[in-house]
């Protein structure tokens, strides 16, 4: 008996460390990767790190989770500069462009996203400059030709609009932060926010939660 | 023989996620090698002391939390049902007298924390399952009665709960949570 695969959409931004955890853990089922930009502050939400006690807690929480989940998370030396001053708009446009030109699957999107996270959230490197984005794409296995095309595409109106639309799709689902997983269960979208809802999500889609590292793919990170 | 690990649970009955955390950790008392210490505290004080805001004040979060709590309630087997007026129950009426009451129960209880556990549960049940008041002395008495306290014990606890001693004790527990770095419960 073959049951139909359940569609799970993952909305994320590489600025978000919890999104990296969610991204790496969430390969139990087929994923639709949505590169998006975090919901704007006009919605009333603020980045959690702006509450001092939350910031202190998150630093320790992420360190424990990184070890437990097998993701080499290491905060950048200047977190506020990396996350809030420099930001990730060009990075997410770049990932959107990779997704746009990729034919047949999302292996490149996955790899480029991973390499961008690795730069900002493991190696304390820049992800705003074209040279930085190129390095990440090269490590992800794109050819020089592909990289040039994607760089050019990433500043186009088409890609700016696509990122905007995906972000609005997330907001339409009711997003207030990332990572956001949307499962389509019997035609109804069910939202799961955060990297700590996998056990509940598994229960809701009729799957078994096997912990954050079900096939030891962490060893390859 | 390995020594038991001490686990402190800071909570306030205003918080539905605290009820979930409370029930789960209580179930694990006999499964894990832990010594559970219940620390009834005041969430309003933690919010104020940490500069945080209740998540429900962000509209999209409020909508999400309603569905999240419903799924978690079924999954965890806790009969969570939001009150008909959540904002009134949580923010207008609040839980200061309720948490002073729980603190007083803990103060007079000798040998263990069965009464604290039961009274906390009955208060959660009132606000977060049966849409009942938990601010009036009559409401607190009903919860304590359901929790198995005698009429005599209930009278003593009610009297104690408005004393300076108990007000200070609740304040101190709340500050202990803040000292650990709290910004919310559980």
């Amino acid at each position: 008996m073959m049951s139909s695969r359940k569609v799970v959409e993952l909305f994320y931004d590489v600025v978000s460390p919890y999104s990296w955890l969610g991204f790496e853990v969430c390969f139990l089922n087929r994923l639709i990767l949505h590169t998006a930009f975090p919901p704007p502050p006009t919605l009333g939400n603020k980045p959690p790190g702006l509450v001092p006690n939350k910031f202190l807690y998150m630093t320790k929480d992420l360190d424990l989770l990184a070890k437990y989940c097998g993701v080499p998370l290491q905060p950048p030396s200047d977190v506020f500069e990396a996350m809030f001053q420099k930001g990730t708009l060009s990075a997410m446009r770049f990932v959107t462009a990779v997704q746009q030109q990729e034919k047949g699957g999302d292996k490149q999107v996955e790899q480029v996203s991973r390499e961008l996270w690795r730069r900002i959230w493991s190696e304390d490197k820049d992800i705003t400059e074209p040279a930085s984005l190129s390095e990440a794409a090269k490590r992800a296995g794109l050819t020089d030709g592909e990289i040039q095309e994607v760089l050019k595409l990433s500043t186009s109106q088409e890609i700016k609009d696509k990122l905007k639309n995906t972000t609005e799709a997330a907001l339409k689902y009711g997003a207030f932060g990332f990572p956001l997983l949307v499962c389509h269960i019997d035609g109804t979208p069910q939202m799961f926010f955060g990297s700590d809802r996998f056990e509940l999500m598994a229960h809701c889609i009729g799957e078994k939660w096997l912990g954050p590292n079900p096939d030891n793919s962490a060893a390859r990170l």
Side-chain angles (χ1 to χ4, degrees), chain A residues 196-204 207 209:
Chain A
D196 56 356
R197 283 287 184 277
F198 285 113
E199 192 182 338
L200 179 66
M201 188 177 117
H203 171 77
C204 291
E207 294 285 347
W209 171 242

Side-chain angles (χ1 to χ4, degrees), chain A residues 41 45-51 54 58 83-84:
Chain A
N45 199 17
K46 288 199 184 77
L50 295 182
V51 177
K54 267 200 200 182
M58 280 167 60
M83 291 183 76
F84 304 123

Side-chain angles (χ1 to χ4, degrees), chain A residues 7-13 16 18-27 29-37 92 95 99 106 109-110 113-114 117 166 170 173 177-184 190 192-195 198 201:
Chain A
V7 171
V8 177
E9 299 179 77
L10 171 66
F11 291 87
Y12 65 94
D13 183 316
S16 158
Y18 287 102
S19 288
W20 192 9
L21 293 169
F23 172 92
E24 293 299 351
V25 171
C26 197
F27 279 95
N29 279 304
R30 180 94 182 87
L31 265 187
I32 293 180
L33 296 177
H34 282 305
T35 60
F37 206 59
M92 294 319 293
V95 181
Q99 192 173 44
D106 59 12
V109 180
E110 183 191 326
S113 301
R114 179 172 288 119
W117 262 307
T166 310
Y173 278 129
F178 289 162
L180 177 69
L181 289 132
V182 182
C183 298
H184 295 267
Q190 190 77 262
F192 296 92
F193 165 71
S195 58
F198 285 113
M201 188 177 117

Side-chain angles (χ1 to χ4, degrees), chain A residues 56-131:
Chain A
L56 293 167
Y57 172 77
M58 280 167 60
T59 307
K60 291 178 255 179
D61 187 45
L62 285 167
D63 189 53
L64 291 174
L65 286 168
K67 295 182 172 81
Y68 181 62
C69 299
V71 177
L73 261 171
Q74 191 82 33
S77 47
D78 191 333
V79 179
F80 284 93
E81 182 197 56
M83 291 183 76
F84 304 123
Q85 282 161 19
K86 294 175 87 179
T88 51
L89 187 54
S90 39
M92 294 319 293
R93 283 175 176 164
F94 189 78
V95 181
T96 304
V98 171
Q99 192 173 44
Q100 181 80 341
Q101 59 82 49
E102 186 170 11
K103 310 281 172 259
D106 59 12
K107 204 69 204 150
Q108 285 185 337
V109 180
E110 183 191 326
Q111 280 301 116
V112 171
S113 301
R114 179 172 288 119
E115 291 308 326
L116 286 169
W117 262 307
R118 204 198 295 281
R119 286 183 71 89
I120 176 178
W121 278 103
S122 197
E123 298 173 340
D124 198 10
K125 289 179 179 157
D126 171 78
I127 56 166
T128 60
E129 301 293 323

